[in-house]
C-alpha cells in the first residue's frame, strides 16, 4: 500500500513537471462563483502572452481581451463555464505588449472529491500562423471569385454591345453595373452638352463645341477636364459642391433628380471618362453601394468599371465613325440622284431606298430628265457594290448618260456611245441600265428603249402587264456597237414601271420568278395614280428588301376615267427623300396629290403640317428621310422618319428671330406624337379635315 502511494506521488510529480515543461500554455482557475481567478499558469503561458504568473494570479483570463476580440466568442466560452461544460474556441487575444495573436482555447471543468466543479483548466495554443494562412487562402478564393465575376460581367457587357441598334443598350449596362458593382449608374453622352442617354447615338458629334467652352472665372471643372482629355482617371464630384465650372455644374444639376427620387442616397459620385480611340465620347457616373465617392470602391471595382467604359467608348466610337462614313457616302450618292421631276402630261413617281444591311449606300440610281417639254428620258441602273466607290461610279455613269441623252438619238445609239466612253475611262465597277425615251405625239407618247444587262421595264395596258424584253444587250462597257431600240406607242391610262433587281430579288426564288410575281401584282393597278402603283409594289416586294431598291413609275393620265379604288391593304404612300430643303416642296406636292386621289378634305392644313414636319427633319435630323401618308378613316396621317433619335420639341419661337413655331402650327392643325425607331425617330401627325388652315398673322 505504501508502495502504491509512493508510485502515485512519483506520478504526480512527473505530471507536474510535464505540465510545466510543455510548450502548450496551461492555465488553472478557481470556480465560477469566485470569479474564475487564475491561480496557476505554466511557463508556456508566459512565453505566449508575456504575462508572468505573479502578474496574473487572482485575475480573470479575460485580461487577454482587446479591441479586436470577438465578444460573441468570449460570450460562448462564458456560457459554457456557466453550464459547467467543456468548450473550445479560437479568439483574437492580446499579449502584454499589445500585439495580437490568435488563441485556440479549450476549457474543461475539474471536479473535486464531492463531484463539484472546484477548478477549471484551460489549454491555450497560439494558432496565428494557421489562421493567417487560412485567411490568406480564403481571401485568395474571394479575390478569384470576384475576378471571375468581374470578367463575367465585362463579357456580358460585350454581349450587350453586340446589339448596338438597341436604343436602351446603355440603360441595360447601367442596370447590370447596379446589380454587380455600384449603387447607381448612368451614362451621359458629349454632343456639345452632356445629356443623359439610354443608347449609343449614331448621330453627329459636335466635337468642337464642348472643347471650346470658356471656363467661367476659372472655376474648377473636373468633368470638362475629363472630356478635354486633360485628366484620365475617374474624378469624385460632391453633389453639394458650389463654385463649379459649367460642365460639372450641369452634370450635378442633372444628378439631383435621381437623388430626389431616392434611386441613390449618395452625397458624392464618381465620374469615369468613356474614351474612344482619340476622343472622350461621354462619361459614366456612378455612386458606390457603401461609403461615398472614390473611397466607396475597391481597386477591383475600379478596374471592372474601367474595362466597361473602355468597351462602351470603343463601341460608341465605332458607331459614330461608321455612321459618319456612311453619311458621307449617302450624301455623295443622293447628291447625284435627281429631284422628283414634274412633267406636263405625265404622272411620275420615283423611289430609292438603300438596303439597311448595307448602311444606306449602294449603286442603284435613277434619272428623270426633261430634255424638252415634249421629250422625256427615263433611266434606271445598278452599279455593282455597296460602298463609296460604287456611288462614285454611279455618279460618273449618270453624268455620261445625261450628256448623251440630250443628243435626241435613239436609246440604242445613246448606249453605244456610253459603251465607248466607259471602255475608255475603265470604270472600276460593272453596271447595268435601262434607258427609255418618251416623245409626245398627238395621240399619246412614242416610247423607245434599250437595255444594257438590266431587267426589262414593264408596260401595263388594259389590265395586262408585259416586260419590254426587246432591245437587250450586254452590261455597260461590254457592248461592241449596234445596240438596237424597242418601240411602242402609249396612251391615256397606260403605265410604265422601271425598277432595279433589289425590288424582286430574293434568296428563295429566281429573278425570273420574281419578275413573274411583279407582273401579277402590277397588272390590275393601271387605274391607280403613279404613287398608288408605287406603293402597291413596295408593299408587295420591298418591306424587307435584300438589296437596294430604285423604282420609277410613269403613268399617262386618263382624264375620262374615274380613279380606281385602292386595294384591300389600305391606302398609303411612301417616299424616300434626301435631307435637303428641296424635299419640303416635294412633300407638299405629295400630300396634295394623295388628298386629291383619296378625296380627303383639308388639303391646305395637311400641306402646312407636312411642310413643318419635313422642314424640322431637314434642319435637325440627319440621314435620308422617309415620308409616309395614310388614309385613316377620311383623315390624313403623315409620318416623317429621320436618323436623329432626339425628340421634337414644341417651343414659343426663337427670341429675336423669325421661326421656331413649327410644332405649334402642327399642334393647332393635327394630333401628333413621336416614337423611337431602330435608326432614329418617327414623328407622326393626323390632320383633322374639319380644322382649316390658319390665316395670315
Amino acid at each position: 500500500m505504501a508502495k502504491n502511494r509512493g508510485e502515485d506521488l512519483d506520478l504526480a510529480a512527473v505530471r507536474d513537471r510535464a505540465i510545466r515543461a510543455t510548450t502548450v500554455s496551461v492555465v488553472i482557475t478557481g470556480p465560477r462563483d469566485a470569479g474564475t481567478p487564475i491561480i496557476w499558469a505554466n511557463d508556456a503561458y508566459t512565453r505566449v502572452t508575456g504575462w508572468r504568473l505573479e502578474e496574473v494570479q487572482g485575475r480573470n483570463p479575460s485580461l487577454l481581451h482587446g479591441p479586436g476580440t470577438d465578444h460573441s466568442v468570449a460570450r460562448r466560452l462564458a456560457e459554457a463555464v456557466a453550464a459547467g461544460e467543456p468548450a473550445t474556441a479560437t479568439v483574437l487575444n492580446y499579449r502584454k505588449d499589445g500585439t495580437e495573436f490568435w488563441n485556440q482555447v479549450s476549457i474543461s471543468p475539474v471536479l473535486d472529491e464531492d463531484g463539484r466543479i472546484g477548478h477549471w483548466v484551460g489549454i491555450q495554443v497560439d494558432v496565428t500562423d494557421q489562421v493567417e494562412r487560412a485567411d490568406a487562402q480564403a481571401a485568395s478564393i474571394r479575390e478569384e471569385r470576384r475576378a471571375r465575376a468581374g470578367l463575367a460581367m465585362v463579357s456580358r457587357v460585350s454581349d450587350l454591345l453586340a446589339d448596338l441598334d438597341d436604343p436602351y443598350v446603355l440603360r441595360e449596362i447601367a442596370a447590370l453595373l447596379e446589380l454587380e458593382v455600384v449603387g447607381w449608374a448612368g451614362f451621359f453622352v458629349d454632343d456639345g452638352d452632356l445629356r443623359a442617354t439610354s443608347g449609343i447615338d449614331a448621330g453627329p458629334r459636335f466635337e468642337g463645341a464642348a472643347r471650346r467652352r470658356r471656363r467661367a472665372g476659372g472655376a474648377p471643372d473636373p468633368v470638362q477636364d475629363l472630356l478635354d482629355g486633360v485628366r484620365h482617371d475617374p474624378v469624385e464630384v460632391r453633389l453639394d459642391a458650389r463654385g463649379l465650372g459649367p460642365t460639372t455644374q450641369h452634370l450635378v444639376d442633372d444628378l439631383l433628380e435621381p437623388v430626389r427620387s431616392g434611386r441613390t442616397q449618395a452625397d458624392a459620385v464618381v465620374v469615369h471618362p468613356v474614351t474612344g480611340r482619340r476622343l472622350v465620347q461621354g462619361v459614366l457616373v456612378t455612386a458606390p453601394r457603401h461609403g461615398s465617392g472614390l473611397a466607396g470602391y475597391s481597386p477591383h471595382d475600379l478596374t471592372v468599371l474601367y474595362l466597361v467604359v473602355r468597351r462602351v467608348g470603343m463601341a460608341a466610337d465605332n458607331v459614330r465613325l461608321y455612321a459618319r462614313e456612311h453619311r458621307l457616302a449617302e450624301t455623295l450618292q443622293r447628291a447625284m440622284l435627281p429631284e422628283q421631276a414634274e412633267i406636263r402630261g405625265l404622272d411620275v413617281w420615283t423611289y430609292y431606298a438603300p438596303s439597311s444591311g448595307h448602311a444606306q449606300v449602294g449603286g442603284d440610281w435613277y434619272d428623270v430628265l426633261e430634255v424638252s417639254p415634249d421629250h422625256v428620258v427615263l433611266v434606271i441602273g445598278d452599279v455593282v457594290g455597296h460602298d463609296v466607290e460604287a456611288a462614285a461610279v454611279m455618279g460618273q455613269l449618270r453624268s455620261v448618260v445625261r450628256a448623251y441623252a440630250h443628243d435626241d438619238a435613239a436609246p440604242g445609239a445613246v448606249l453605244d456611245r456610253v459603251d465607248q466612253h466607259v471602255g475608255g475611262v475603265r470604270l472600276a465597277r460593272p453596271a447595268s441600265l435601262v434607258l427609255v425615251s418618251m416623245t409626245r405625239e398627238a395621240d399619246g407618247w412614242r416610247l423607245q428603249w434599250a437595255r444594257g444587262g438590266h431587267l426589262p421595264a414593264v408596260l401595263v395596258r388594259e389590265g395586262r402587264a408585259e416586260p419590254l424584253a426587246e432591245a437587250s444587250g450586254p452590261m455597260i462597257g461590254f457592248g461592241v456597237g449596234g445596240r438596237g431600240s424597242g418601240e411602242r406607242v402609249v396612251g391615256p391610262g397606260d403605265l410604265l414601271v422601271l425598277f432595279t433587281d433589289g425590288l424582286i430579288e430574293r434568296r428563295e426564288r429566281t429573278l425570273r420568278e420574281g419578275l413573274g410575281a411583279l407582273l401579277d401584282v402590277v397588272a390590275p393597278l393601271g387605274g391607280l395614280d403613279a404613287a398608288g402603283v408605287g406603293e402597291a409594289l413596295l408593299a408587295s416586294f420591298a418591306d424587307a428588301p435584300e438589296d437596294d431598291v430604285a423604282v420609277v413609275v410613269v403613268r399617262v393620265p386618263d382624264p375620262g376615267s374615274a380613279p380606281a379604288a385602292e386595294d384591300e391593304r389600305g391606302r398609303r404612300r411612301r417616299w424616300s427623300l434626301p435631307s435637303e430643303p428641296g424635299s419640303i416642296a416635294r412633300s407638299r406636292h405629295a400630300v396634295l396629290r394623295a388628298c386629291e386621289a383619296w378625296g380627303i378634305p383639308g388639303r391646305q392644313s395637311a400641306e402646312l403640317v407636312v411642310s413643318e414636319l419635313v422642314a424640322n427633319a431637314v434642319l435637325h435630323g440627319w440621314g435620308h428621310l422617309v415620308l409616309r401618308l395614310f388614309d385613316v378613316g377620311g383623315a390624313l396621317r403623315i409620318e416623317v422618319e429621320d436618323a436623329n433619335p432626339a425628340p421634337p420639341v414644341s417651343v414659343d419661337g426663337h427670341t429675336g428671330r423669325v421661326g421656331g413655331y413649327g410644332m405649334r402650327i402642327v399642334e393647332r392643325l393635327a394630333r401628333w406624337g413621336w416614337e423611337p425607331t431602330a435608326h432614329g425617330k418617327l414623328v407622326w401627325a393626323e390632320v383633322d379635315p374639319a380644322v382649316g388652315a390658319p390665316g395670315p398673322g
Side-chain angles (χ1 to χ4, degrees):
M1 194 68 175
K3 182 179 180 181
N4 289 340
R5 186 179 298 112
E7 291 177 353
D8 289 342
L9 290 173
D10 290 343
L11 182 58
V14 171
R15 281 199 302 264
D16 184 60
R17 288 194 300 272
I19 292 173
R20 289 179 181 277
T22 183
T23 58
V24 177
S25 174
V26 179
V27 176
I28 299 175
T29 72
R32 176 174 176 269
D33 54 9
T36 58
I38 297 174
I39 60 175
W40 184 84
N42 67 353
D43 294 341
Y45 179 85
T46 300
R47 287 193 298 272
V48 171
T49 68
W51 293 97
R52 298 191 305 275
L53 175 59
E54 59 269 22
E55 292 176 316
V56 298
Q57 280 181 324
R59 299 180 65 177
N60 190 277
S62 63
L63 66 91
L64 300 180
H65 292 178
T69 301
D70 187 343
H71 294 287
S72 64
V73 177
R75 191 161 47 250
R76 286 200 302 273
L77 292 174
E79 291 170 352
V81 171
E85 298 175 349
T88 299
T90 300
V91 62
L92 183 66
N93 280 168
Y94 291 79
R95 299 182 178 91
K96 182 180 179 179
D97 61 6
T99 58
E100 300 175 346
F101 73 101
W102 285 96
N103 196 4
Q104 187 181 70
V105 180
S106 298
I107 58 173
S108 300
V110 180
L111 304 180
D112 60 15
E113 295 176 352
D114 297 327
R116 292 178 300 181
I117 298 175
H119 298 84
W120 287 83
V121 61
I123 307 299
Q124 301 180 359
V125 180
D126 184 353
V127 293
T128 302
D129 290 344
Q130 296 93 310
V131 170
E132 288 180 350
R133 280 197 300 270
D135 285 349
Q137 185 178 20
S140 176
I141 292 173
R142 287 194 301 271
E143 189 64 27
E144 182 180 355
R145 287 175 178 171
R146 291 183 67 187
R148 288 182 179 178
L151 289 174
M153 196 194 71
V154 172
S155 176
R156 175 63 178 142
V157 168
S158 299
D159 290 342
L160 290 172
L161 288 172
D163 187 10
L164 296 177
D165 287 338
D166 183 353
Y168 302 107
V169 62
L170 293 185
R171 188 172 72 183
E172 291 188 35
I173 293 174
L176 183 62
L177 290 174
E178 291 173 2
L179 183 66
E180 300 287 344
V181 181
V182 305
W184 179 85
F187 283 94
F188 291 76
V189 69
D190 176 23
D191 274 338
D193 287 305
L194 282 179
R195 58 180 177 84
T197 183
S198 294
I200 294 181
D201 228 338
R205 174 186 166 77
F206 307 105
E207 295 175 359
R211 283 151 180 73
R212 290 194 300 268
R213 189 183 297 117
R214 286 184 174 273
R215 307 277 169 78
D221 205 342
V223 176
Q224 186 63 48
D225 289 341
L226 289 179
L227 299 178
D228 290 343
V230 176
R231 303 178 67 166
H232 305 284
D233 295 328
V235 299
E236 179 177 317
V237 176
R238 292 197 58 83
L239 298 183
D240 57 359
R242 295 292 180 267
L244 298 172
T247 304
T248 305
Q249 188 61 58
H250 172 69
L251 182 66
V252 168
D253 293 342
D254 281 355
L255 293 174
L256 293 180
E257 190 279 325
V259 172
R260 283 193 296 266
S261 64
R263 284 184 286 158
T264 177
Q265 302 297 323
D267 55 5
V269 296
V270 178
V271 185
H272 313 257
V274 179
T275 307
R277 288 177 178 83
R278 296 183 301 109
L279 298 174
V280 178
Q281 304 293 322
V283 295
L284 167 66
V285 182
T286 65
R289 290 179 176 176
H290 309 290
S292 178
L294 282 166
Y297 292 122
S298 68
H300 169 80
D301 295 335
L302 292 175
T303 298
V304 170
L305 291 171
Y306 169 78
L307 292 174
V308 168
V309 295
R310 280 295 291 167
R311 278 162 172 73
V312 171
M314 294 300 289
D317 207 359
N318 287 339
V319 167
R320 284 174 162 173
L321 178 63
Y322 192 66
R324 283 196 298 270
E325 290 177 350
H326 290 150
R327 281 196 299 271
L328 172 64
E330 185 191 14
T331 300
L332 172 65
Q333 185 178 38
R334 288 194 171 277
M336 299 173 185
L337 291 176
E339 285 295 313
Q340 169 73 57
E342 298 300 327
I343 309 297
R344 182 177 59 87
L346 291 176
D347 179 10
V348 181
W349 179 87
T350 57
Y351 181 85
Y352 170 76
S355 168
S356 60
H358 296 122
Q360 300 184 352
V361 59
D364 287 16
W365 58 287
Y366 67 86
D367 207 348
V368 180
L369 178 62
E370 189 174 19
V371 178
S372 71
D374 296 322
H375 183 198
V376 178
V377 173
L378 312 172
V379 186
I380 197 159
D382 186 0
V383 176
V384 174
H386 300 89
D387 52 22
V388 176
E389 187 176 57
V393 170
M394 177 268 287
Q396 290 178 273
L397 191 56
R398 172 177 176 263
S399 298
V400 171
V401 173
R402 273 199 156 211
Y404 293 153
H406 276 84
D407 290 347
D408 237 3
V414 172
L415 291 194
D416 283 337
R417 296 188 64 186
V418 173
D419 282 330
Q420 185 178 9
H421 176 86
V422 169
V425 299
R426 299 183 182 275
L427 292 180
R429 301 289 179 86
S432 66
L433 65 81
V434 174
L435 187 145
V436 177
S437 172
M438 298 183 68
T439 306
R440 195 190 309 269
E441 296 184 340
D443 55 349
W445 294 77
R446 181 165 55 92
L447 194 70
Q448 293 180 296
W449 72 90
R451 292 194 293 135
H454 201 86
L455 290 168
V458 172
L459 177 64
V460 180
R461 173 181 292 167
E462 297 177 350
R464 293 182 63 253
E466 65 165 317
L468 300 180
E470 303 98 317
S472 64
M475 297 183 76
I476 298 303
F478 296 93
V480 292
R483 289 184 186 264
S485 301
E487 186 171 328
R488 293 279 196 286
V489 175
V490 296
D494 290 346
L495 184 72
L496 183 67
V497 180
L498 292 81
F499 56 95
T500 56
D501 56 6
L503 181 67
I504 61 173
E505 187 176 28
R506 297 294 181 271
R507 292 185 180 90
E508 68 273 10
R509 70 185 180 202
T510 65
L511 280 177
R512 184 183 297 276
E513 292 170 336
L515 179 58
L518 184 143
L519 295 175
D520 291 339
V521 169
V522 78
L525 301 179
L528 298 178
D529 64 349
V533 173
E535 177 54 41
L537 292 174
L538 296 180
S540 298
F541 297 102
D543 278 345
E546 298 173 2
D547 201 351
D548 309 328
V549 174
V551 183
V552 176
V553 179
V554 179
R555 184 175 184 272
V556 182
D558 184 2
S561 64
E566 302 283 353
D567 64 18
E568 67 278 1
R569 287 168 294 196
R571 300 195 287 187
R572 65 180 187 177
R573 301 282 190 269
R574 81 183 86 172
W575 289 262
S576 180
L577 306 173
S579 182
E580 58 190 34
S583 294
I584 303 172
R586 184 177 174 188
S587 69
R588 289 200 303 266
H589 179 80
V591 162
L592 292 175
R593 292 284 298 272
C595 288
E596 179 181 1
W598 296 338
I600 295 178
R603 287 182 291 174
Q604 191 177 8
S605 298
E607 186 181 7
L608 276 174
V609 169
V610 78
S611 293
E612 296 299 339
L613 295 186
V614 174
N616 277 342
V618 169
L619 289 172
H620 307 296
W622 55 78
H624 76 281
L625 313 179
V626 178
L627 169 66
R628 301 183 185 89
L629 306 177
F630 301 87
D631 178 3
V632 286
L636 186 68
R637 178 182 173 94
I638 302 168
E639 294 181 354
V640 177
E641 184 176 352
D642 68 73
N644 183 355
V649 179
S650 179
V651 298
D652 294 325
H654 300 302
T655 303
R657 291 191 287 131
V658 176
Y661 297 96
M663 297 312 296
R664 292 292 188 192
I665 295 174
V666 173
E667 285 178 347
R668 181 172 174 181
L669 299 175
R671 293 190 312 107
W672 75 279
W674 77 281
E675 58 192 59
T677 65
H679 303 288
K681 70 171 178 301
L682 182 149
V683 184
W684 60 268
E686 291 186 4
V687 181
D688 185 351
V691 178

